[in-house]
Amino acid sequence: RGVPGPGRTPGSLRALTPGCAAGRAGAWPPAVRIQPLRCSPPSGTPHQPPPAGPAPWDSQQIRRGSEQPHQDPQQAQDQRESAGQTRVRGQAPGQSQSPAQHLGHPRRAAQAAEQLQVPQLNLSPPVRHRGQGTHGPYQPHEPGYGLDQPEFSPYEDEIPDPKARMLAIQNAKAYLLKTSTKSGLNLYDHLARVITKILDEQPENTADIIENISKDVKWAQFRKKMDTLRDEHLILPTYEAAEKCKALFVKDSGEEEEEIVGPPPLPNVMETAFYFEQAGIGLNKDESYCIFLSLKNLVNVQPILTCRFWGKILGLEMNYIIAETQVREVEDQEGGETGHEREEIYEEGEREMDEGEEEGEEKEKRDEPPKSTYKPPPEIPREENGAGTNKYVYFVCNEPGKPWVKLPPVTPAQIVCARKIKKFFTGRLDAPVVSFPPFPGNEANYLRAQIARISAGTHVSPTGFYQFANEDEEEEEGDAYEENPDFEPPPVAEMLESLAAWAHHVKIILKQGRCVWINPQKSDENAEEEEEEEEEKDEEGEGQQEETGPPLLTLISEDAGIKSIPAWTAQASTNLIPEYCIAILQSNRWPGAYAFASGRKFDNIYFGWGHKYSPENHSPALPPPAQAEYPIGSEITETVDPTVEEEMAFKAAQEEALAGDDEEEGEEDEGDDE
């Protein structure tokens, strides 16, 4: 096999045979021999009529294997010699003298074959060894199994064993029928649906939109099944958000507009957004207007005297929209204070009872190990509602249209701990705050503490806009102020050049966590005599030192910078038209805090993550030192061994003392005898 012999031609002449197409189609089995074709002789030779009977290329003349046709050997030799006479130098046996392009087309190849006597051909494929030109070996369960046969190639004229071919097809189909673990579909059915959709619709430029067609087929597959009684439509997130905001644009006809005396509690959010927009600060107009309508609903529901859009704090999952309000006198807040005091009294009473029980148990059981003597520091009470850090009441929501949630009052312990940690907000008020030191509360308390810190450090106003209600108010600890009717706004250029044109109108928070310092050792439950005794101790210097901060309405020019960075940066909204620009103030200590001033109008706003700027990386606080296991004193301290000299001196002193005692005893005895 593979060696040309009598009646066979090399593999290069297979393409010249008109029956090669049949070989590619799989009609010929291996080892097929073809009788030479009797065609018209070349020019110059007399024409002989074809013999009577079947044609040489008749299918009856084809035999399988080594079976030879019924032909005279001498006649076959003559035919081979006549075929060799038609060859010229440089041509292969059986090659025509016509140009090669006539053999490219099937019709031209057939016409050329009529004028050419083709010798007997051998269509047996050459032997191929494993690993030559294949990608195998493949396993029976793989899609490519059967394509790595040693006698098969996609470019050969024959195909391998039909059984191996069918096995390869089954493996490939099984691979395409594999179900996806995510969508539950398989590639075979998906391709069938895509091809069906293309043939049904017959779109133009199918190759350019094949990806979109595949996506449409997937979307149609994942639609919810409709019920015959009632259709269940899928609610898109955009449609759901529009439904929530739809309630903001509906005005109840039953509501009667009340006559408001004085300034309205609802702020003009759109006007404030316009001024901040001059400096490229703020939200888009659609969101600003939705917040405007949401604040209107808040004012209608809650007993609010004044309301202001404080800002927006960003979160990992959701954001917080914050409203700063002053609420009217509410009984539940006062009741909350009394309840808080009652809880403290009850807890202290329980502590006293526990201490008495412990003393009795210690008397009964003296053999028990020693107990810890650590006493936590006294808890610092929070400031009252309407004063200090709890002067305003804050409401938050995640999106305009969602219900407003009231934040709890802030305590000094929460503010002190918030200064030591740095956590991102999640957008869920009930989320725990995992940190060290442990934060006393959840995310709602942490958010309230950060709002108090940002307000105390960034809320500013033009100098002279506010004044104290009383002349002695500055000396007192109160934070009551009022607008100055005689205030004349300075020009914008002056407010940009000097930071002395701005002042704080919110009290600074002390290290204790309060705006007004308080002695934690004092308690309201003590009698007047105990208070007098503690005052005497404070005068003697045994009590804690009182902490004081800068007074109210302090100029921002006195604020300390952050290393080489100033605390504030002032800039104009535009340099092209200075006649109509406004002054913009930016805080570098709290990134995201801004203020504007234009005439008698000014406002403060915050957009950020709620974190204070730190030039260095944040490092958590170290744990406190371990408590001593037992008190160290002279009773349990091991003494140092004496030296030899000290021992000799001690013995000599003892001997002298004994000798002196003996002499005194002898003198006493003599006196008694006399």
Side-chain angles (χ1 to χ4, degrees):
R1 174 179 289 185
V3 181
R8 298 186 182 182
T9 57
S12 60
L13 297 180
R14 298 176 189 176
L16 303 179
T17 307
C20 289
R24 293 190 185 94
W28 288 355
V32 177
R33 293 189 178 89
I34 302 177
Q35 294 293 337
L37 302 178
R38 190 176 298 276
C39 303
S40 59
S43 58
T45 58
H47 176 70
Q48 298 180 359
W57 56 85
D58 193 355
S59 59
Q60 297 179 1
Q61 301 295 332
I62 299 175
R63 297 292 184 269
R64 297 180 180 271
S66 59
E67 185 179 359
Q68 297 294 336
H70 299 282
Q71 187 180 13
D72 187 5
Q74 186 65 30
Q75 183 181 359
Q77 182 68 24
D78 296 339
Q79 291 177 356
R80 285 193 294 269
E81 291 178 357
S82 62
Q85 294 177 0
T86 60
R87 182 181 57 175
V88 295
R89 181 175 296 180
Q91 293 181 347
Q95 183 177 356
S96 175
Q97 298 180 3
S98 59
Q101 65 265 17
H102 295 288
L103 301 179
H105 197 273
R107 294 182 179 179
R108 295 175 180 175
Q111 294 175 3
E114 294 179 357
Q115 301 177 0
L116 176 66
Q117 184 177 2
V118 181
Q120 193 174 11
L121 302 180
N122 180 22
L123 300 181
S124 300
V127 179
R128 299 174 64 101
H129 298 282
R130 184 178 297 273
Q132 297 181 358
T134 62
H135 300 280
Y138 293 96
Q139 299 298 328
H141 64 276
E142 294 180 351
Y145 180 77
L147 301 179
D148 59 338
Q149 300 296 330
E151 298 183 0
F152 173 77
S153 174
Y155 304 99
E156 292 291 341
D157 299 333
E158 300 176 6
I159 60 174
D161 187 10
K163 294 182 180 180
R165 182 74 171 182
M166 291 303 298
L167 182 60
I169 294 174
Q170 292 175 3
N171 292 338
K173 187 174 181 180
Y175 173 76
L176 297 177
L177 288 172
K178 281 187 177 180
T179 304
S180 174
T181 57
K182 295 182 178 180
S183 60
L185 302 177
N186 59 76
L187 184 59
Y188 188 89
D189 296 340
H190 178 67
L191 293 176
R193 294 190 187 98
V194 170
I195 295 173
T196 303
K197 184 179 179 64
I198 293 173
L199 296 177
D200 292 344
E201 299 179 0
Q202 296 184 358
E204 297 182 358
N205 302 326
T206 309
D208 300 334
I209 61 174
I210 185 66
E211 295 84 2
N212 299 333
I213 296 175
S214 176
K215 188 182 298 183
D216 294 341
V217 171
K218 288 185 178 180
W219 284 356
Q221 186 69 20
F222 288 103
R223 288 180 181 175
K224 284 189 176 182
K225 294 182 179 180
M226 300 299 179
D227 192 3
T228 56
L229 299 178
R230 181 179 298 176
D231 294 343
E232 183 182 359
H233 299 282
L234 180 63
I235 300 177
L236 299 177
T238 54
Y239 180 80
E240 186 178 0
E243 285 293 331
K244 293 179 181 178
C245 296
K246 182 180 179 181
L248 300 175
F249 296 88
V250 177
K251 182 178 181 181
D252 296 338
S253 59
E255 294 183 358
E256 296 181 359
E257 297 182 359
E258 299 179 359
E259 295 182 0
I260 300 175
V261 179
L266 183 65
N268 193 349
V269 178
M270 300 305 297
E271 182 181 5
T272 305
F274 168 76
Y275 283 107
F276 279 112
E277 188 181 0
Q278 305 303 315
I281 304 165
L283 308 173
N284 56 61
K285 292 183 179 180
D286 295 340
E287 187 174 1
S288 299
Y289 193 74
C290 290
I291 293 174
F292 193 8
L293 297 177
S294 184
L295 292 176
K296 178 180 178 296
N297 293 342
L298 176 63
V299 172
N300 296 336
V301 173
Q302 300 289 340
I304 293 175
L305 293 175
T306 61
C307 180
R308 191 180 73 86
F309 177 49
W310 186 89
K312 184 176 182 180
I313 289 183
L314 306 178
L316 300 178
E317 300 177 8
M318 294 179 288
N319 304 326
Y320 288 116
I321 299 173
I322 306 169
E324 182 183 83
T325 63
Q326 281 184 330
V327 186
R328 300 172 188 172
E329 297 179 358
V330 183
E331 297 180 357
D332 57 355
Q333 292 184 0
E334 297 177 359
E337 291 180 3
T338 56
H340 183 69
E341 294 174 358
R342 291 175 183 173
E343 290 177 359
E344 291 181 352
I345 297 171
Y346 181 73
E347 290 177 358
E348 292 179 359
E350 286 184 345
R351 291 175 185 172
E352 293 177 359
M353 294 291 294
D354 294 340
E355 290 177 359
E357 293 177 358
E358 289 176 0
E359 291 177 359
E361 292 177 357
E362 288 178 359
K363 292 179 181 179
E364 295 176 0
K365 301 178 181 179
R366 297 181 179 179
D367 297 337
E368 293 183 357
K371 297 182 179 180
S372 175
T373 58
Y374 171 75
K375 293 182 179 180
E379 184 179 358
I380 302 174
R382 69 176 181 86
E383 294 179 303
E384 299 179 356
N385 294 334
T389 55
N390 293 320
K391 181 178 181 180
Y392 297 99
V393 179
Y394 293 91
F395 294 85
V396 298
C397 67
N398 298 118
E399 293 179 1
K402 289 187 177 181
W404 291 92
V405 180
K406 179 182 175 182
L407 295 180
V410 66
T411 61
Q414 294 170 355
I415 294 179
V416 172
C417 185
R419 288 170 171 169
K420 300 178 182 179
I421 64 176
K422 181 176 288 188
K423 297 285 291 184
F424 282 101
F425 294 96
T426 61
R428 295 179 284 105
L429 294 176
D430 58 345
V433 180
V434 182
S435 63
F436 183 83
F439 184 79
N442 53 11
E443 186 166 305
N445 304 107
Y446 181 58
L447 177 63
R448 181 63 182 84
Q450 292 298 96
I451 290 174
R453 295 179 61 198
I454 296 172
S455 300
T458 62
H459 283 191
V460 297
S461 58
T463 304
F465 185 86
Y466 291 112
Q467 63 180 5
F468 293 103
N470 300 325
E471 295 180 356
D472 299 335
E473 186 71 24
E474 186 175 358
E475 299 177 359
E476 298 178 0
E477 296 178 351
D479 54 354
Y481 53 83
E482 61 182 7
E483 293 186 11
N484 183 10
D486 301 332
F487 170 73
E488 294 182 1
V492 176
E494 182 179 348
M495 301 188 72
L496 297 176
E497 291 177 359
S498 175
L499 295 178
W502 303 82
H504 292 277
H505 60 264
V506 177
K507 271 199 163 185
I508 302 298
I509 301 177
L510 304 177
K511 294 182 179 180
Q512 194 182 38
R514 293 169 52 99
C515 294
V516 180
W517 187 84
I518 187 175
N519 189 356
Q521 296 179 354
K522 294 182 180 180
S523 59
D524 297 335
E525 302 171 5
N526 296 336
E528 295 180 358
E529 296 178 358
E530 295 180 358
E531 291 180 358
E532 292 178 358
E533 293 178 359
E534 290 178 357
E535 289 178 0
E536 292 177 359
K537 292 181 180 179
D538 294 343
E539 292 177 359
E540 293 176 1
E542 297 180 0
Q544 296 183 1
Q545 295 182 358
E546 183 178 358
E547 184 182 357
T548 58
L552 194 63
L553 302 181
T554 304
L555 303 180
I556 67 172
S557 57
E558 301 179 7
D559 293 354
I562 310 169
K563 291 187 177 181
S564 60
I565 304 174
W568 298 90
T569 300
Q571 59 183 356
S573 60
T574 177
N575 296 326
L576 301 177
I577 310 176
E579 295 84 1
Y580 297 98
C581 68
I582 61 176
I584 301 295
L585 192 65
Q586 177 182 357
S587 174
N588 297 325
R589 189 178 299 275
W590 290 95
Y594 300 92
F596 85 91
S598 177
R600 294 184 63 88
K601 294 181 180 180
F602 76 95
D603 204 348
N604 300 268
I605 205 166
Y606 179 82
F607 298 105
W609 294 93
H611 293 162
K612 188 176 181 179
Y613 173 75
S614 58
E616 300 175 355
N617 295 332
H618 174 72
S619 57
L622 297 176
Q627 185 183 7
E629 297 182 1
Y630 52 87
I632 299 175
S634 59
E635 299 177 355
I636 60 175
T637 304
E638 184 178 358
T639 58
V640 182
D641 295 338
T643 60
V644 177
E645 297 176 355
E646 292 178 352
E647 289 182 356
M648 297 297 294
F650 181 73
K651 289 181 179 180
Q654 285 184 342
E655 291 176 356
E656 291 178 359
L658 292 174
D661 294 340
D662 294 340
E663 292 178 358
E664 291 179 359
E665 291 178 358
E667 292 177 357
E668 291 178 357
D669 294 339
E670 291 176 358
D672 294 338
D673 295 339
E674 293 176 356

